[in-house]
Amino acid sequence: MAMVAAIAIATSDIYAQVFATVAQGIGITIFVALVAFLLAATIGLGIALMGLSGSIWLRQAARFYVEIMRGIPVLVLLFWIAFAGVPAFVAGWNFITLPLQQAGYMDALLVREVSLLWRAIIALAFGYSPFIAEIFRAGIQSVDIGQIEAAKALGLNRGQRFRLIVMPQAIRVILPPLGNDFIAITKDSSLVSVLGVADITQMGKIYASGSFRFFETYSIVAYIYLTLTVSLSLALRALEQRMRRSQRLG
């Protein structure tokens, strides 16, 4: 399919025009996927560390978060954050900062000031964070407890043990599923089009609705997403092979 689409773009004026229009959304798609993934990884790592802490309250809070967030479809979460969560946050923010607003130090925050792009990114980040949290948890728990005990005996504090002993070994277990989630979030970034964010899918919808060339448009949309995900898969595979080689040499 990818080869056929590439030939069609090179030889057909119609496909070339469709591609030129839809490709305008590639930058937004990559930005959404990358930022949402980084936020999801940050949240997920925090949740994983909570789940492995010595406090039962933190462990239960982490488990509650993971179970709740995993049970909500990403599309539903997208709508909820965009049209319920953000307005509630804005109302709470304005309530907390009311004294500063009355003193003239700051203006009230308006819901429309929070762009739909960032609402979509936040929704994707929260939607994927519980899955990434489980990846981090499994990777951290795969490290031999004896090495952690040896690090304690050497006088390393918790942060040093995590940075120098745990993560260098856990990353070998974490990287493959983490890469799969990055590819998945790249594909699911197409959901942001329901909010009118000008990504690849939205640009395709706009072009198709105006030209009625649905077959050509969505074939190009599929081709672009396929190119992105296959490229990511090859890059991640190369990185995994390089890490395995360095591990054998080390």
Side-chain angles (χ1 to χ4, degrees), residues 48-59 158:
L49 293 177
M50 286 174 58
L52 296 172
S53 72
S55 169
I56 188 172
W57 297 105
L58 290 178
R59 292 199 304 272
R158 184 185 295 270

Side-chain angles (χ1 to χ4, degrees), residues 1-3 5-6 9 19 218-228:
M1 175 184 174
M3 183 63 67
I9 292 170
F19 179 81
Y218 287 110
S219 294
I220 294 299
V221 169
Y223 165 73
I224 293 175
Y225 277 111
L226 182 62
T227 302
L228 287 174

Side-chain angles (χ1 to χ4, degrees), residues 79-95:
F79 282 128
W80 189 90
I81 288 180
F83 302 117
V86 168
F89 170 80
V90 169
W93 174 264
N94 287 334
F95 177 78

